[in-house]
Protein backbone atom coordinates (compact mmCIF):
# COMPACT_ATOMS: atom_id res chain seq x y z
CA UNK A 1 0.00 0.00 0.00
CA UNK A 2 1.60 3.29 -1.13
CA UNK A 3 1.20 6.20 1.24
CA UNK A 4 2.03 9.77 0.30
CA UNK A 5 2.54 11.32 3.74
CA UNK A 6 2.67 8.58 6.38
CA UNK A 7 5.99 6.82 6.95
CA UNK A 8 6.94 4.08 9.37
CA UNK A 9 6.08 6.28 12.35
CA UNK A 10 3.45 8.84 11.40
CA UNK A 11 4.13 11.92 9.33
CA UNK A 12 7.51 13.62 9.68
CA UNK A 13 9.55 16.29 7.92
CA UNK A 14 11.33 19.63 8.02
CA UNK A 15 9.26 22.27 9.80
CA UNK A 16 7.62 24.88 7.57
CA UNK A 17 8.21 22.61 4.59
CA UNK A 18 5.53 20.26 3.30
CA UNK A 19 4.09 18.30 4.95
CA UNK A 20 5.15 19.91 8.24
CA UNK A 21 3.43 23.26 7.73
CA UNK A 22 0.74 24.84 9.87
CA UNK A 23 -1.73 24.65 7.01
CA UNK A 24 -1.06 20.95 6.54
CA UNK A 25 -1.31 20.30 10.29
CA UNK A 26 -4.74 21.89 10.25
CA UNK A 27 -5.78 19.69 7.32
CA UNK A 28 -4.46 16.58 9.07
CA UNK A 29 -6.52 17.52 12.10
CA UNK A 30 -9.61 17.91 9.95
CA UNK A 31 -9.03 14.65 8.08
CA UNK A 32 -8.15 12.56 11.14
CA UNK A 33 -11.03 14.12 13.06
CA UNK A 34 -13.50 13.35 10.29
CA UNK A 35 -12.25 9.75 10.08
CA UNK A 36 -12.84 9.19 13.79
CA UNK A 37 -16.23 10.92 14.05
CA UNK A 38 -18.12 7.73 14.74
CA UNK A 39 -21.33 7.59 16.74
CA UNK A 40 -23.34 10.40 18.27
CA UNK A 41 -21.27 10.98 21.43
CA UNK A 42 -19.18 14.10 22.03
CA UNK A 43 -15.87 13.35 20.35
CA UNK A 44 -12.51 14.02 21.99
CA UNK A 45 -8.85 14.08 20.93
CA UNK A 46 -5.83 14.17 23.25
CA UNK A 47 -2.85 16.20 21.98
CA UNK A 48 0.63 15.97 23.47
CA UNK A 49 3.96 17.24 22.20
CA UNK A 50 7.68 17.25 22.88
CA UNK A 51 9.73 20.37 23.59
CA UNK A 52 10.73 21.57 20.12
CA UNK A 53 9.91 25.17 19.21
CA UNK A 54 7.61 24.29 16.32
CA UNK A 55 5.36 22.32 18.66
CA UNK A 56 3.46 25.48 19.55
CA UNK A 57 2.67 26.17 15.89
CA UNK A 58 1.72 22.60 15.07
CA UNK A 59 -0.41 22.19 18.19
CA UNK A 60 -2.37 25.36 17.52
CA UNK A 61 -2.94 24.41 13.89
CA UNK A 62 -4.13 20.93 14.78
CA UNK A 63 -6.50 22.29 17.44
CA UNK A 64 -7.99 24.52 14.75
CA UNK A 65 -8.44 21.52 12.46
CA UNK A 66 -10.01 19.23 15.03
CA UNK A 67 -12.39 21.80 16.49
CA UNK A 68 -13.52 22.89 13.02
CA UNK A 69 -14.91 19.41 12.35
CA UNK A 70 -16.58 19.14 15.75
CA UNK A 71 -13.97 17.45 17.98
CA UNK A 72 -13.13 18.62 21.49
CA UNK A 73 -9.42 18.86 22.24
CA UNK A 74 -7.59 18.04 25.46
CA UNK A 75 -4.06 19.45 25.57
CA UNK A 76 -1.61 17.67 27.87
CA UNK A 77 1.56 19.64 27.09
CA UNK A 78 5.06 18.13 26.86
CA UNK A 79 4.76 14.44 27.75
CA UNK A 80 6.28 11.23 26.36
CA UNK A 81 4.65 9.53 23.40
CA UNK A 82 3.56 6.55 25.56
CA UNK A 83 1.83 9.00 27.90
CA UNK A 84 -0.34 10.20 25.02
CA UNK A 85 -1.20 6.60 24.15
CA UNK A 86 -2.09 5.87 27.78
CA UNK A 87 -4.14 9.04 28.24
CA UNK A 88 -6.04 8.48 24.98
CA UNK A 89 -7.23 5.15 26.30
CA UNK A 90 -7.86 6.18 29.91
CA UNK A 91 -9.74 9.36 28.96
CA UNK A 92 -11.97 7.43 26.52
CA UNK A 93 -10.79 9.70 23.71
CA UNK A 94 -11.49 8.89 20.07
CA UNK A 95 -8.01 9.83 18.95
CA UNK A 96 -4.58 10.69 20.34
CA UNK A 97 -1.92 12.90 18.75
CA UNK A 98 1.76 13.20 19.62
CA UNK A 99 3.52 16.12 17.96
CA UNK A 100 7.15 15.03 17.80
CA UNK A 101 9.95 14.08 15.44
CA UNK A 102 11.29 11.63 18.03
CA UNK A 103 15.12 11.50 17.85
CA UNK A 104 15.43 14.10 15.05
CA UNK A 105 16.84 17.58 15.62
CA UNK A 106 14.57 20.53 16.44
CA UNK A 107 14.27 21.67 12.83
CA UNK A 108 12.05 18.64 12.11
CA UNK A 109 8.69 17.78 13.54
CA UNK A 110 6.14 15.02 13.15
CA UNK A 111 2.64 13.81 13.91
CA UNK A 112 1.93 10.40 15.45
CA UNK A 113 -1.68 9.28 15.70
CA UNK A 114 -3.24 6.80 18.11
CA UNK A 115 -6.67 5.21 17.92
CA UNK A 116 -9.14 5.02 20.83
CA UNK A 117 -7.48 1.87 22.22
CA UNK A 118 -4.10 3.62 22.49
CA UNK A 119 -2.50 1.77 19.58
CA UNK A 120 -0.91 3.44 16.56
CA UNK A 121 -3.12 3.53 13.50
CA UNK A 122 -3.26 0.71 11.02
CA UNK A 123 -2.17 1.12 7.41
CA UNK A 124 -5.87 1.15 6.47
CA UNK A 125 -6.67 4.01 8.84
CA UNK A 126 -3.70 6.02 7.58
CA UNK A 127 -4.75 5.43 3.96
CA UNK A 128 -8.28 6.59 4.76
CA UNK A 129 -6.95 9.77 6.38
CA UNK A 130 -4.71 10.44 3.39
CA UNK A 131 -7.74 10.07 1.11
CA UNK A 132 -9.61 12.65 3.20
CA UNK A 133 -6.71 15.08 2.79
CA UNK A 134 -7.54 15.20 -0.92
CA UNK A 135 -11.12 16.38 -0.45
CA UNK A 136 -12.66 19.51 1.00
CA UNK A 137 -13.33 19.06 4.74
CA UNK A 138 -16.88 19.11 6.03
CA UNK A 139 -16.94 21.96 8.52
CA UNK A 140 -19.57 21.78 11.25
CA UNK A 141 -22.15 24.51 11.98
CA UNK A 142 -21.02 27.21 14.39
CA UNK A 143 -22.85 25.70 17.35
CA UNK A 144 -21.06 22.34 16.88
CA UNK A 145 -17.49 23.65 16.80
CA UNK A 146 -15.31 21.82 19.33
CA UNK A 147 -13.81 23.25 22.49
CA UNK A 148 -10.24 22.95 23.76
CA UNK A 149 -8.90 22.73 27.29
CA UNK A 150 -5.61 21.92 28.97
CA UNK A 151 -5.26 19.47 31.84
CA UNK A 152 -2.46 20.09 34.31
CA UNK A 153 -2.07 16.64 35.87
CA UNK A 154 -1.15 14.64 32.76
CA UNK A 155 2.48 14.22 33.83
CA UNK A 156 1.42 13.02 37.27
CA UNK A 157 -0.95 10.49 35.76
CA UNK A 158 1.82 9.09 33.58
CA UNK A 159 4.35 8.94 36.43
CA UNK A 160 1.85 6.96 38.50
CA UNK A 161 1.15 4.56 35.63
CA UNK A 162 4.86 4.03 34.95
CA UNK A 163 5.65 3.33 38.61
CA UNK A 164 2.94 0.67 38.73
CA UNK A 165 5.00 -1.40 36.27
CA UNK A 166 7.88 -1.65 38.77
CA UNK A 167 7.65 -4.70 41.07
CA UNK A 168 5.88 -3.45 44.23
CA UNK A 169 8.24 -5.27 46.62
CA UNK A 170 11.34 -3.55 45.19
CA UNK A 171 12.87 -0.10 45.65
CA UNK A 172 15.75 1.73 44.00
CA UNK A 173 17.35 2.79 47.29
CA UNK A 174 21.12 3.01 47.09
CA UNK A 175 21.17 3.05 43.29
CA UNK A 176 22.79 6.10 41.70
CA UNK A 177 21.21 6.62 38.28
CA UNK A 178 22.09 9.21 35.66
CA UNK A 179 19.11 9.86 33.40
CA UNK A 180 19.48 11.77 30.11
CA UNK A 181 16.14 13.10 28.92
CA UNK A 182 17.45 14.57 25.63
CA UNK A 183 15.99 17.98 26.53
CA UNK A 184 12.77 16.37 25.38
CA UNK A 185 9.36 15.24 26.46
CA UNK A 186 10.44 13.26 29.55
CA UNK A 187 12.53 16.01 31.12
CA UNK A 188 10.17 16.22 34.10
CA UNK A 189 8.57 12.78 34.37
CA UNK A 190 11.58 10.45 34.15
CA UNK A 191 13.70 12.00 36.95
CA UNK A 192 10.59 12.31 39.13
CA UNK A 193 9.56 8.67 38.71
CA UNK A 194 13.06 7.39 39.49
CA UNK A 195 13.37 9.64 42.55
CA UNK A 196 9.96 8.56 43.86
CA UNK A 197 11.12 4.93 43.66
CA UNK A 198 14.08 5.76 45.89
CA UNK A 199 16.96 6.29 43.46
CA UNK A 200 19.73 8.85 43.81
CA UNK A 201 19.12 10.68 40.52
CA UNK A 202 21.45 12.84 38.47
CA UNK A 203 19.42 14.35 35.63
CA UNK A 204 20.93 15.74 32.43
CA UNK A 205 19.24 16.90 29.24
CA UNK A 206 16.49 18.47 31.34
CA UNK A 207 16.77 22.12 30.25
CA UNK A 208 14.77 22.35 27.02
CA UNK A 209 14.77 25.70 25.24
CA UNK A 210 12.94 24.74 22.05
CA UNK A 211 16.02 24.17 19.92
CA UNK A 212 18.28 21.86 21.97
CA UNK A 213 16.19 18.67 21.85
CA UNK A 214 18.45 15.70 20.97
CA UNK A 215 21.37 18.11 20.64
CA UNK A 216 24.48 16.40 21.99
CA UNK A 217 22.38 14.30 24.34
CA UNK A 218 19.78 11.55 24.51
CA UNK A 219 19.71 8.04 23.13
CA UNK A 220 21.24 8.99 19.77
CA UNK A 221 24.27 10.77 21.30
CA UNK A 222 25.30 9.12 24.55
CA UNK A 223 28.70 10.78 24.96
CA UNK A 224 27.55 13.20 27.67
CA UNK A 225 25.76 10.40 29.52
CA UNK A 226 28.83 8.13 29.35
CA UNK A 227 31.06 10.91 30.67
CA UNK A 228 28.64 11.80 33.48
CA UNK A 229 28.17 8.19 34.60
CA UNK A 230 31.91 7.53 34.83
CA UNK A 231 32.81 10.86 36.46
CA UNK A 232 29.99 10.68 39.03
CA UNK A 233 30.57 7.02 39.87
CA UNK A 234 26.96 6.16 39.06
CA UNK A 235 25.76 2.58 38.91
CA UNK A 236 23.97 3.00 35.58
CA UNK A 237 22.91 5.58 32.99
CA UNK A 238 19.61 5.79 31.15
CA UNK A 239 19.19 7.65 27.86
CA UNK A 240 15.82 8.50 26.35
CA UNK A 241 15.12 10.17 23.02
CA UNK A 242 13.12 13.31 22.31
CA UNK A 243 9.71 11.74 22.82
CA UNK A 244 10.92 9.09 25.30
CA UNK A 245 9.68 6.03 23.44
CA UNK A 246 13.16 4.52 23.15
CA UNK A 247 15.84 3.54 25.66
CA UNK A 248 19.60 3.10 25.53
CA UNK A 249 21.57 2.21 28.67
CA UNK A 250 25.14 2.95 29.76
CA UNK A 251 26.81 0.70 32.34
CA UNK A 252 29.07 1.94 35.16
CA UNK A 253 32.17 1.72 32.92
CA UNK A 254 30.60 3.97 30.27
CA UNK A 255 29.89 1.16 27.79
CA UNK A 256 26.71 1.53 25.73
CA UNK A 257 24.05 -1.19 25.91
CA UNK A 258 21.62 -1.28 22.97
CA UNK A 259 18.06 -2.48 22.63
CA UNK A 260 19.04 -6.01 21.60
CA UNK A 261 20.85 -6.62 24.89
CA UNK A 262 18.01 -5.06 26.88
CA UNK A 263 15.38 -7.22 25.17
CA UNK A 264 17.50 -10.31 25.88
CA UNK A 265 17.69 -9.36 29.56
CA UNK A 266 13.96 -8.65 29.88
CA UNK A 267 13.01 -11.82 28.00
CA UNK A 268 15.12 -14.02 30.30
CA UNK A 269 13.85 -12.20 33.39
CA UNK A 270 10.23 -12.54 32.35
CA UNK A 271 10.72 -16.18 31.39
CA UNK A 272 12.15 -16.90 34.84
CA UNK A 273 9.23 -15.10 36.49
CA UNK A 274 6.66 -16.90 34.34
CA UNK A 275 5.60 -13.68 32.63
CA UNK A 276 6.92 -14.20 29.08
CA UNK A 277 4.30 -15.05 26.48
CA UNK A 278 4.73 -16.36 22.95
CA UNK A 279 7.82 -18.40 23.73
CA UNK A 280 10.19 -15.61 22.71
CA UNK A 281 10.29 -12.03 21.49
CA UNK A 282 9.63 -10.00 18.35
CA UNK A 283 12.35 -7.83 16.79
CA UNK A 284 13.11 -6.34 13.40
CA UNK A 285 15.47 -7.43 10.65
CA UNK A 286 18.02 -4.99 12.10
CA UNK A 287 18.49 -6.90 15.37
CA UNK A 288 21.85 -8.62 15.71
CA UNK A 289 22.25 -12.24 14.73
CA UNK A 290 23.91 -12.74 18.10
CA UNK A 291 20.55 -12.03 19.77
CA UNK A 292 18.88 -14.71 17.69
CA UNK A 293 21.53 -17.28 18.56
CA UNK A 294 21.38 -16.35 22.26
CA UNK A 295 17.62 -16.79 22.39
CA UNK A 296 17.91 -20.17 20.69
CA UNK A 297 20.23 -21.30 23.50
CA UNK A 298 17.54 -20.23 25.98
CA UNK A 299 14.93 -22.24 24.03
CA UNK A 300 13.28 -18.99 22.97
CA UNK A 301 12.25 -17.79 19.52
CA UNK A 302 13.03 -14.57 17.69
CA UNK A 303 10.28 -13.48 15.32
CA UNK A 304 11.56 -10.86 12.87
CA UNK A 305 9.58 -8.07 11.19
CA UNK A 306 10.38 -5.20 8.87
CA UNK A 307 11.72 -2.02 10.50
CA UNK A 308 9.28 0.03 12.55
CA UNK A 309 7.89 -0.51 16.02
CA UNK A 310 4.37 -0.53 14.59
CA UNK A 311 5.20 -3.73 12.69
CA UNK A 312 6.76 -5.25 15.79
CA UNK A 313 3.57 -4.52 17.70
CA UNK A 314 1.33 -5.91 14.95
CA UNK A 315 3.21 -9.22 15.09
CA UNK A 316 3.15 -9.25 18.88
CA UNK A 317 -0.62 -8.82 18.92
CA UNK A 318 -1.23 -11.31 16.13
CA UNK A 319 0.98 -14.06 17.57
CA UNK A 320 0.62 -13.55 21.31
CA UNK A 321 4.03 -12.14 22.28
CA UNK A 322 4.38 -9.58 25.07
CA UNK A 323 8.01 -8.47 24.57
CA UNK A 324 9.30 -6.91 21.39
CA UNK A 325 11.30 -4.02 20.05
CA UNK A 326 14.16 -2.67 18.03
CA UNK A 327 17.91 -2.52 18.41
CA UNK A 328 17.58 1.27 18.46
CA UNK A 329 15.83 1.04 21.82
CA UNK A 330 12.13 1.00 21.02
CA UNK A 331 11.00 -1.68 23.47
CA UNK A 332 7.34 -2.65 23.70
CA UNK A 333 6.11 -4.43 26.81
CA UNK A 334 2.48 -5.01 25.94
CA UNK A 335 1.52 -6.01 29.48
CA UNK A 336 2.11 -2.38 30.40
CA UNK A 337 1.89 -0.20 27.28
CA UNK A 338 0.48 -0.03 23.77
CA UNK A 339 3.64 1.45 22.28
CA UNK A 340 7.36 1.75 22.98
CA UNK A 341 8.06 3.26 26.41
CA UNK A 342 11.63 4.13 27.37
CA UNK A 343 10.89 4.75 31.05
CA UNK A 344 8.86 1.58 31.53
CA UNK A 345 11.55 -0.49 29.80
CA UNK A 346 14.19 1.15 32.00
CA UNK A 347 12.25 0.21 35.12
CA UNK A 348 12.30 -3.45 34.07
CA UNK A 349 16.07 -3.28 33.58
CA UNK A 350 16.52 -1.55 36.94
CA UNK A 351 14.36 -4.15 38.68
CA UNK A 352 16.60 -6.90 37.35
CA UNK A 353 19.67 -4.95 38.46
CA UNK A 354 18.28 -4.71 42.01
CA UNK A 355 17.31 -8.39 42.16
CA UNK A 356 20.61 -9.64 40.73
CA UNK A 357 22.76 -7.44 42.95
CA UNK A 358 25.43 -7.33 40.26
CA UNK A 359 27.19 -4.54 38.41
CA UNK A 360 25.47 -3.31 35.26
CA UNK A 361 28.54 -4.26 33.22
CA UNK A 362 28.18 -7.86 34.40
CA UNK A 363 24.43 -8.12 33.99
CA UNK A 364 23.54 -6.21 30.85
CA UNK A 365 25.81 -7.86 28.31
CA UNK A 366 23.74 -10.99 27.76
CA UNK A 367 25.44 -12.13 24.54
CA UNK A 368 28.38 -11.36 22.29
CA UNK A 369 27.04 -9.54 19.22
CA UNK A 370 28.35 -10.36 15.78
CA UNK A 371 30.23 -7.55 14.04
CA UNK A 372 27.55 -5.31 12.57
CA UNK A 373 27.91 -2.12 10.59
CA UNK A 374 25.19 0.35 9.61
CA UNK A 375 25.81 3.31 7.33
CA UNK A 376 23.35 5.87 5.99
CA UNK A 377 23.53 7.45 2.55
CA UNK A 378 21.49 10.61 2.03
CA UNK A 379 19.79 11.01 -1.34
CA UNK A 380 17.81 13.75 -3.02
CA UNK A 381 14.91 12.26 -4.95
CA UNK A 382 14.85 9.32 -7.29
CA UNK A 383 14.91 5.62 -6.46
CA UNK A 384 18.58 4.65 -6.07
CA UNK A 385 17.74 1.12 -4.92
CA UNK A 386 16.17 0.42 -8.32
CA UNK A 387 19.30 1.17 -10.35
CA UNK A 388 21.28 -1.65 -11.96
CA UNK A 389 24.52 -0.64 -10.26
CA UNK A 390 23.03 -0.76 -6.76
CA UNK A 391 21.23 -4.04 -7.47
CA UNK A 392 24.48 -5.58 -8.65
CA UNK A 393 26.39 -4.36 -5.57
CA UNK A 394 23.71 -5.79 -3.27
CA UNK A 395 23.76 -9.15 -5.05
CA UNK A 396 27.52 -9.29 -4.77
CA UNK A 397 27.39 -8.44 -1.08
CA UNK A 398 24.80 -11.13 -0.39
CA UNK A 399 26.96 -13.70 -2.12
CA UNK A 400 30.06 -12.74 -0.11
CA UNK A 401 28.15 -12.99 3.20
CA UNK A 402 26.31 -16.19 2.30
CA UNK A 403 26.27 -18.60 5.23
CA UNK A 404 28.20 -16.31 7.60
CA UNK A 405 26.08 -13.19 7.92
CA UNK A 406 23.20 -11.03 6.78
CA UNK A 407 22.61 -7.96 4.64
CA UNK A 408 19.71 -5.53 5.12
CA UNK A 409 19.22 -2.60 2.72
CA UNK A 410 16.25 -0.29 3.12
CA UNK A 411 14.97 3.18 2.55
CA UNK A 412 14.32 5.08 5.78
CA UNK A 413 10.67 5.69 6.55
CA UNK A 414 11.40 8.95 8.38
CA UNK A 415 14.31 10.62 6.53
CA UNK A 416 15.68 10.75 2.93
CA UNK A 417 18.27 8.08 3.67
CA UNK A 418 19.24 4.67 2.35
CA UNK A 419 20.27 2.51 5.31
CA UNK A 420 22.89 -0.16 4.55
CA UNK A 421 23.45 -2.76 7.26
CA UNK A 422 25.59 -5.90 7.19
CA UNK A 423 26.70 -8.29 9.89
CA UNK A 424 28.78 -11.41 9.93
CA UNK A 425 31.58 -13.31 11.61
CA UNK A 426 34.30 -11.48 9.64
CA UNK A 427 34.38 -7.79 10.63
CA UNK A 428 36.63 -6.75 7.74
CA UNK A 429 34.35 -8.45 5.23
CA UNK A 430 31.32 -6.75 6.71
CA UNK A 431 32.96 -3.34 6.31
CA UNK A 432 33.95 -4.07 2.70
CA UNK A 433 30.42 -5.13 1.78
CA UNK A 434 28.80 -2.08 3.37
CA UNK A 435 31.26 0.35 1.79
CA UNK A 436 30.82 -1.15 -1.69
CA UNK A 437 27.04 -0.82 -1.52
CA UNK A 438 27.23 2.71 -0.10
CA UNK A 439 29.52 3.69 -2.95
CA UNK A 440 27.05 2.27 -5.46
CA UNK A 441 24.17 4.21 -3.87
CA UNK A 442 26.17 7.44 -3.94
CA UNK A 443 27.02 6.86 -7.60
CA UNK A 444 23.33 6.35 -8.37
Amino acid sequence: MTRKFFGTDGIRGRTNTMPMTAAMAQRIGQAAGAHFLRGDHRHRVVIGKDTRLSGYMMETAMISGFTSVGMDVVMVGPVPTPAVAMLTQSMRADLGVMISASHNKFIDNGIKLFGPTGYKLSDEDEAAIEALLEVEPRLVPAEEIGRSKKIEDARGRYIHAAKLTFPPHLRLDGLHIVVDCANGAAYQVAPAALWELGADVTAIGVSPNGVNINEGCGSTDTRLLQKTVVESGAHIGIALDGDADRLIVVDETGAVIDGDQLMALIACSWKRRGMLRGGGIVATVMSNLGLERFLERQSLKLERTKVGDRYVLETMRAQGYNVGGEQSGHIILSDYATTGDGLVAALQVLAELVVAGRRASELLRQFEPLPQLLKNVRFEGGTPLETDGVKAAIAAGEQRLSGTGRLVIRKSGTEPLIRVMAEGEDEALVAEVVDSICDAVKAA
Side-chain angles (χ1 to χ4, degrees):
M1 181 184 301
T2 301
R3 293 171 297 178
K4 183 177 179 181
F5 299 112
F6 284 92
T8 56
D9 198 12
I11 302 172
R12 191 177 301 183
R14 185 65 51 90
T15 306
N16 270 348
T17 302
M18 280 293 289
M20 283 295 108
T21 65
M24 188 62 176
Q26 182 187 51
R27 288 289 296 113
I28 293 168
Q30 290 170 329
H35 181 63
F36 281 92
L37 285 173
R38 304 164 181 175
D40 56 4
H41 63 280
R42 191 71 191 176
H43 291 78
R44 176 184 298 163
V45 56
V46 173
I47 299 182
K49 60 182 180 180
D50 64 22
T51 57
R52 64 194 74 221
L53 182 62
S54 57
Y56 295 100
M57 176 185 78
M58 302 298 287
E59 179 184 51
T60 302
M62 294 203 77
I63 291 171
S64 174
F66 283 120
T67 55
S68 72
V69 296
M71 266 198 166
D72 291 336
V73 175
V74 177
M75 295 173 285
V76 298
V79 294
T81 287
V84 171
M86 182 270 290
L87 291 166
T88 299
Q89 186 179 31
S90 68
M91 295 184 71
R92 309 300 192 270
D94 301 276
L95 185 63
V97 178
M98 180 64 181
I99 301 172
S100 172
S102 190
H103 58 280
N104 291 23
K105 303 298 185 184
F106 87 95
I107 54 176
D108 295 337
N109 214 329
I111 297 170
K112 301 181 183 183
L113 300 176
F114 295 90
T117 58
Y119 290 100
K120 291 180 180 178
L121 301 190
S122 66
D123 288 344
E124 290 73 24
D125 280 325
E126 290 180 349
I129 291 170
E130 287 206 352
L132 288 170
L133 289 172
E134 304 296 329
V135 301
E136 195 68 22
R138 189 190 72 81
L139 305 181
V140 298
E143 65 274 13
E144 295 179 20
I145 291 173
R147 302 172 184 269
S148 66
K149 64 179 293 186
K150 184 173 183 178
I151 60 171
E152 301 297 337
D153 65 342
R155 289 187 290 272
R157 295 190 196 191
Y158 172 70
I159 290 171
H160 177 69
K163 285 166 53 187
L164 287 177
T165 70
F166 192 73
H169 62 286
L170 298 180
R171 293 178 57 87
L172 296 176
D173 294 35
L175 207 59
H176 181 188
I177 302 170
V178 181
V179 57
D180 182 349
C181 299
N183 291 314
Y187 78 101
Q188 292 176 313
V189 298
L194 296 171
W195 176 81
E196 290 181 21
L197 289 169
D200 175 13
V201 180
T202 297
I204 60 177
V206 290
S207 302
N209 60 14
V211 300
N212 63 356
I213 187 170
N214 301 311
E215 187 65 45
C217 57
S219 64
T220 52
D221 190 343
T222 59
R223 289 173 295 177
L224 176 61
L225 177 62
Q226 292 170 271
K227 182 174 183 287
T228 306
V229 166
V230 172
E231 291 183 351
S232 66
H235 296 98
I236 193 170
I238 293 168
L240 307 173
D241 65 336
D243 68 335
D245 65 353
R246 71 165 70 181
L247 166 72
I248 295 293
V249 170
V250 169
D251 70 23
E252 82 282 0
T253 71
V256 176
I257 311 297
D258 66 16
D260 283 349
Q261 299 282 359
L262 301 179
M263 286 189 289
L265 176 70
I266 294 171
C268 290
S269 170
W270 283 26
K271 179 187 178 184
R272 188 179 66 250
R273 294 158 60 188
M275 294 175 57
L276 188 67
R277 297 199 309 271
I281 69 173
V282 180
T284 74
V285 294
M286 302 299 286
S287 279
N288 195 278
L289 189 57
L291 171 63
E292 187 170 347
R293 293 177 178 179
F294 168 80
L295 292 172
E296 287 176 354
R297 293 194 296 271
Q298 312 304 314
S299 299
L300 296 174
K301 298 179 293 184
L302 176 62
E303 189 74 30
R304 290 190 185 268
T305 73
K306 58 183 177 180
V307 173
D309 62 328
R310 58 183 289 151
Y311 303 113
V312 171
L313 183 58
E314 286 175 4
T315 300
M316 289 173 65
R317 296 179 72 187
Q319 301 187 26
Y321 292 87
N322 63 346
V323 175
E326 298 184 283
Q327 186 185 70
S328 60
H330 283 117
I331 298 177
I332 304 171
L333 306 174
S334 60
D335 287 3
Y336 302 133
T338 57
T339 188
D341 192 322
L343 177 58
V344 167
L347 292 178
Q348 300 305 303
V349 173
L350 293 172
E352 191 64 14
L353 194 65
V354 171
V355 170
R358 297 161 59 192
R359 291 186 179 92
S361 58
E362 299 170 344
L363 179 68
L364 299 183
R365 198 172 183 86
Q366 293 284 298
F367 63 90
E368 190 64 34
L370 267 68
Q372 186 182 80
L373 181 62
L374 169 66
K375 288 190 176 182
N376 298 319
V377 182
R378 186 169 292 274
F379 69 98
E380 301 295 337
T383 53
L385 294 183
E386 300 302 317
T387 64
D388 291 340
V390 173
K391 288 180 178 179
I394 293 173
E398 289 175 337
Q399 185 173 5
R400 295 185 71 188
L401 290 172
S402 178
T404 64
R406 296 188 310 128
L407 183 61
V408 179
I409 316 293
R410 67 182 186 90
K411 180 181 176 183
S412 169
T414 58
E415 301 176 81
L417 300 173
I418 300 298
R419 304 195 190 278
V420 181
M421 188 277 282
E423 64 180 354
E425 297 167 3
D426 185 335
E427 187 171 6
L429 175 60
V430 166
E432 289 176 10
V433 168
V434 169
D435 287 342
S436 66
I437 296 173
C438 288
D439 289 343
V441 173
K442 292 173 184 176

